[in-house]
Amino acid sequence: MSTAETHDDPHAIFFAAHTDLPREAPGGDEWTLRALSLVPSLPPSPRVLDIGCGPGAQTLVLARAIPDARITAVDAHLPYLEDLRARARQEAVSGQVQAYQADMRALPFESGNFDLLWCEAAVYIMGFGEALRAWRHLLTPAGTLVLSELVWLRDDRPQEVTQFWTEYPAMTTIPRCLGMAEEAGYRCVGNFVMPQAAWWDAYYTPLRARIQALRERFPDSPRAQATLDDCQAETDLYERWPTHYGYAFFVFQRATETNEV
């Protein structure tokens, strides 16, 4: 795509801002590992499915932390998968990781095929409750689902925060997430809210640097600048209101037959 085409295409500008960042959402190796530490013991050579893997930062953490795991990573965006494959080769874990293009709404896998399902900051694509119900059959009877989700942390929400997040109307609270999981046939093993550093260190700080670089690259393009304004607005909002919403990790185990709902 030419420079002229890029700066006139908001979609292209958005992906230019979000390409080759350390992460594509709040998170970090430390918190991926903390969530993994809450997972009940895995069998030898566990089968892991990373859903909505993006460029695979967490996929590689899992590969290093569970060296005998067989990890299948899926995403709908092919460039992310190409990035993951390259990074897996660089880290010498490509033998562990297989990356496939797939829609999380219609995952092409048989029931009972995975010991661990993992989804960081991508479940919003389906909605929390719908994803829990749709993915449960993929787990073995003792399987575990780990995901991170955007949640409200306080009830006194400023109007600008509420208005901004109307783009995700299913966003809810931790207690409601736990209730939906129980309704879908899971029991909660543990959960925690990631700290503010999870938003900044590997995501918003490098994203802001990329936004500035693109502003300087396309100074005379109103459409490019408007798209970059939208990207910047999200980081500015969190900077003003970091205690009102956040990302929480949830670790759910498939309920036993006697506990199923």
Side-chain angles (χ1 to χ4, degrees):
M1 183 177 289
S2 70
T3 299
E5 290 172 323
T6 299
H7 74 229
D8 281 333
D9 182 351
H11 186 75
I13 288 291
F14 177 86
F15 275 106
H18 284 267
T19 297
D20 296 329
L21 297 177
R23 284 184 175 263
E24 292 298 334
D29 296 2
E30 175 182 353
W31 300 290
T32 296
L33 291 172
R34 179 178 172 186
L36 181 62
S37 74
L38 298 176
V39 173
S41 58
L42 292 168
S45 302
R47 295 163 296 174
V48 179
L49 177 62
D50 186 2
I51 303 170
C53 63
Q58 73 289 332
T59 317
L60 300 178
V61 174
L62 295 173
R64 294 190 297 266
I66 321 172
D68 63 336
R70 294 169 289 168
I71 302 175
T72 302
V74 298
D75 200 279
H77 188 54
L78 185 58
Y80 283 159
L81 297 175
E82 293 171 344
D83 191 11
L84 169 56
R85 292 179 184 123
R87 296 167 73 182
R89 287 192 296 270
Q90 291 171 0
E91 297 202 18
V93 295
S94 56
Q96 280 182 263
V97 178
Q98 292 184 312
Y100 295 104
Q101 188 173 26
D103 185 341
M104 67 168 61
R105 301 177 186 86
L107 293 169
F109 305 109
E110 295 181 359
S111 296
N113 205 42
F114 296 99
D115 304 294
L116 177 61
L117 302 182
W118 201 276
C119 182
E120 288 199 28
V123 72
Y124 71 89
I125 295 171
M126 286 184 67
F128 192 85
E130 183 180 351
L132 291 176
R133 293 187 295 272
W135 299 343
R136 185 179 179 278
H137 77 98
L138 298 171
L139 287 168
T140 60
T144 303
L145 167 62
V146 179
L147 48 79
S148 65
E149 169 70 323
L150 186 66
V151 294
W152 293 115
L153 300 177
R154 290 169 53 170
D155 293 330
D156 57 330
R157 301 161 194 162
Q159 184 177 359
E160 69 168 319
V161 176
T162 302
Q163 183 175 354
F164 182 88
W165 288 113
T166 54
E167 64 185 62
Y168 185 29
M171 183 175 170
T172 187
T173 63
I174 290 175
R176 181 57 189 137
C177 287
L178 296 176
M180 284 189 284
E182 184 177 358
E183 293 165 6
Y186 299 85
R187 65 180 185 88
C188 182
V189 176
N191 67 88
F192 62 90
V193 176
M194 286 186 282
Q196 294 176 32
W199 291 73
W200 292 107
D201 292 352
Y203 185 40
Y204 277 170
T205 297
L207 175 59
R208 279 184 165 180
R210 179 67 56 75
I211 289 169
Q212 184 57 37
L214 289 169
R215 288 193 189 282
E216 295 170 2
R217 183 179 175 188
F218 303 118
D220 301 320
S221 170
R223 296 188 70 182
Q225 295 295 325
T227 301
L228 296 170
D229 286 345
D230 290 341
C231 294
Q232 178 89 32
E234 181 181 327
T235 72
D236 292 346
L237 186 78
Y238 185 74
E239 188 171 37
R240 288 193 295 273
W241 308 106
T243 65
H244 287 75
Y245 59 97
Y247 258 96
F249 256 112
F250 298 91
V251 181
F252 299 125
Q253 193 163 38
R254 182 169 170 167
T256 62
E257 295 296 327
T258 56
N259 293 329
E260 288 190 0
V261 177

